[in-house]
Amino acid sequence: MTIKNYPWWKDSTVYQIWPASYKDSNGDGIGDIQGIISTLDYLEDLGISVVWLSPHYDSPQDDMGYDISDYESVYHKYGNMDDMNQLIDEVHKRDMKLILDLVINHTSDQHAWFKESKSSLTNPKRDWYIWRKPQYDSKGNRKPPTNWSSIFSGSAWNYDPTTDEYYLCLFAKSQPDLNWENEECRNAIYKSALEFWFKKGIDGFRIDVASMYSKASNSKGKFEDAPIIYPNQEFQPAGELTTNGPRIHEFHKEMFKKITSKYDVMTVGEVGFCSKQEALKYVSHAEKEMNMMFLFNVVCVGYDGDKFDFKGFNLKNFKDAVISQSDFAQGTDAWSTVFIENHDQARSVSRFGNTSTDELWNKSAKLLNMLEISLTGTLYIYQGQEIGMTNLPKNWSIDEYKDIETLNYWAKHKIEHPNDSESDLKLMQNIQITARDHARSPVQWDDSPNGGFTSGKPWMKVNENFTKINVKSQINDSNSILSFYKKSIQLRQLYKKLFIHGDFKILDYENEDLFSFIKSFEDSKSYIVLNFSNKTIPFKPLVDGELELLHTNVDTPEPGVLSPYEGRIYI
Ligand code: GLC
Ligand code: CA
């Protein structure tokens, strides 16, 4: 492989900001753009080169901004257009880039387009959303057009009495799906959601649910029922019928050709799951669709369909997941991503590390970081990950959880299992592992009240462990997770051929405790060994030749053994 003349985004380290919980500048309890600006020096110092800002657009916030009511304006609690212009400038002044979230599978039901579409059967924008007539059962009861379930529980169709039809909403009822079959609608999306911001000088987009724009229908435009997976439930996941659909690649090619290709920008699509073949269609350079994508094998390991019916996993499942997320790109013209957290996933140190003692928390967060900085692709870090923020405390009740996905699921469960404290407890235990809320509690900046996130009352409670886990206490501590991240990012850049671009080969697939692999590029090689267990394990290198220790999460590595959660990167 040669890496001559490759684009800037391959070597980038991206930092995701989820604005509501990042940093509040005016004491209203909600993070904002001025808060972000005040931390840019911190991000620069950490070694971040690209900031990804989750939705900052005007929105009723039913799904925390992923329900957009106007692509061309800023949510007033985050700031205004001047603040956004300033953010773009301030990021660029530091030689960093700014990418935004592109949420164009659906809008909010408060978007002007939907209000028009809904107003009558003959409105010119009627066809910009997906409307269908009701079905009726033998007793004359009105039913949705298909049995598809929403990703946020219940039916994926919502009835609108204005015109006696249902509209499709694969997420919340207030997030109607746009009709990508309509060319006029597509062009309006390109203009309002993409071009408007490109012209302001942003450097790219993270593309929300990028695999779902094209819904499969039969030749007459009729949607079919989804296969029954949960026999005792009314609605069924529409996965295959709504993901990686028949025209999805045509749509991405069109968007790239008409708009994105005109700017020097990066795009990363949230694709989720797909075969190797399908993956290459999205991100092979020759296909001209997007630069890279997020696959969910790692973050969803153990989910098996229903995240709140968590099944657990072992290290082999985890290795499989890591391999499938990057393997598809090796030896091709495609590019991959490396990430273990985002705003839709619980905290990595709680899920894949060990938070039972302070020492193991510190060590296992560093271990996960060593895995990540060794893998090929563009690296993404989620706010708070760099200080080892953890899942919410186990003694928090459901009242402290704010996310629509969690709350809808809980409400449905309570209807289906009234007065069943045993099953409530089981669900609560799963929520404590996998809910999106864990990533959404405010960032812990210091040990002042509310972790320095706000001087007011935070919109969501700050994790009480802020007195121990916060940026201020870690920034000058050479043993901290934060200092470790900083050093790791530097090493990844210093040895970028090996870590960012190299080939990956696993050495110990069957081993249930250790994860060892080789990264290679031309004649250079790196050998990485990570103890994912809480045991001390005898250690004999699996490679020949002289080894030089480049990075480790222990003070003095002992020859012949690996302590619990110890990791070593040799070159
Ligand atoms: C994506 C976002 C998620 C959001 C959903 C609907 O999966 O990451 O936060 O709820 O799309 O827009
Ligand atoms: Ca604020």
Side-chain angles (χ1 to χ4, degrees), residues 131-144:
W131 294 96
R132 290 291 185 276
K133 292 193 173 22
Q135 297 194 87
Y136 291 92
D137 67 13
S138 52
K139 295 194 189 101
N141 298 314
R142 177 169 47 74
K143 301 191 82 163

Side-chain angles (χ1 to χ4, degrees), residues 23-33 77-78 454:
K23 181 97 180 94
D24 177 22
S25 73
N26 62 354
D28 68 353
I30 299 168
D32 47 52
I33 298 163
K77 293 196 178 161
Y78 293 162
T454 179

Side-chain angles (χ1 to χ4, degrees), residues 299-566:
V299 289
C300 293
V301 70
Y303 284 11
D304 194 19
D306 183 350
K307 71 188 280 186
F308 292 119
D309 184 18
F310 185 62
K311 305 283 193 307
F313 62 93
N314 58 34
L315 187 61
K316 254 159 82 181
N317 305 140
F318 184 73
K319 289 177 184 175
D320 279 331
V322 170
I323 295 167
S324 48
Q325 240 172 266
S326 55
D327 204 32
F328 74 90
Q330 195 154 305
T332 74
D333 68 345
W335 188 244
S336 52
T337 58
V338 184
F339 71 102
I340 201 164
E341 284 191 23
N342 62 38
H343 65 295
D344 292 332
Q345 303 298 335
R347 291 292 182 177
S348 59
V349 67
S350 299
R351 291 182 62 198
F352 310 111
N354 187 325
T355 54
S356 64
T357 67
D358 287 359
E359 193 203 334
L360 291 178
W361 159 74
N362 178 298
K363 229 170 141 186
S364 63
K366 291 174 180 172
L367 182 85
L368 290 167
N369 178 240
M370 293 174 79
L371 169 66
E372 293 227 279
I373 58 136
S374 309
L375 295 174
T376 295
T378 299
L379 176 64
Y380 291 76
I381 297 169
Y382 179 68
Q383 65 185 35
Q385 183 187 336
E386 76 279 18
I387 54 167
M389 278 180 64
T390 65
N391 276 4
L392 303 176
K394 296 239 162 36
N395 61 5
W396 282 22
S397 75
I398 191 73
D399 300 333
E400 302 296 349
Y401 287 74
K402 306 283 178 222
D403 176 31
I404 188 168
E405 181 184 51
T406 314
L407 298 181
N408 282 4
Y409 197 99
W410 180 261
K412 177 169 164 267
H413 165 87
K414 292 299 272 185
I415 293 168
E416 287 167 3
H417 305 267
N419 304 318
D420 182 350
S421 55
E422 204 177 304
S423 77
D424 286 359
L425 180 67
K426 189 165 166 268
L427 175 55
M428 200 58 210
Q429 282 166 346
N430 284 334
I431 288 175
Q432 285 163 352
I433 303 171
T434 61
R436 306 199 296 185
D437 304 78
H438 299 297
R440 299 179 174 198
S441 70
V443 170
Q444 300 163 200
W445 293 98
D446 58 37
D447 58 3
S448 70
N450 297 316
F453 161 69
T454 179
S455 58
K457 186 176 182 309
W459 74 276
M460 178 181 182
K461 210 160 105 174
V462 180
N463 192 325
E464 283 101 5
N465 65 18
F466 75 86
T467 49
K468 186 184 83 190
I469 304 176
N470 63 67
V471 171
K472 191 172 168 214
S473 69
Q474 293 194 21
I475 206 150
N476 293 317
D477 171 4
S478 60
N479 187 41
S480 69
I481 297 168
L482 180 57
S483 300
F484 194 85
Y485 261 71
K486 192 172 160 182
K487 181 170 178 204
S488 295
I489 293 170
Q490 284 165 359
L491 289 174
R492 180 171 167 87
Q493 292 297 327
L494 211 54
Y495 295 88
K496 60 173 72 156
K497 287 185 178 177
L498 276 173
F499 298 135
I500 304 181
H501 299 266
D503 283 341
F504 169 95
K505 191 170 153 244
I506 192 156
L507 295 177
D508 60 353
Y509 178 70
E510 297 294 333
N511 195 313
E512 297 278 0
D513 301 313
L514 300 185
F515 191 169
S516 323
F517 54 93
I518 289 187
K519 290 297 296 285
S520 56
F521 189 90
E522 291 165 356
D523 304 341
S524 38
K525 271 193 171 49
S526 173
Y527 167 47
I528 295 107
V529 52
L530 309 167
N531 181 2
F532 269 86
S533 80
N534 198 5
K535 296 178 280 196
T536 300
I537 300 207
F539 168 62
K540 203 169 128 272
L542 295 174
V543 293
D544 299 328
E546 215 174 294
L547 294 174
E548 184 194 327
L549 188 62
L550 180 71
H551 200 27
T552 174
N553 58 352
V554 298
D555 290 337
T556 31
E558 275 187 57
V561 289
L562 287 168
S563 61
Y565 296 98
E566 177 171 344

Side-chain angles (χ1 to χ4, degrees), residues 63 66 103 106 152 171 175 206 208-209 270 343-344 436 440:
D63 184 22
Y66 285 90
V103 189
H106 43 266
F152 292 161
F171 293 89
Q175 286 171 305
R206 174 265 190 187
D208 189 62
V209 289
E270 183 198 26
H343 65 295
D344 292 332
R436 306 199 296 185
R440 299 179 174 198

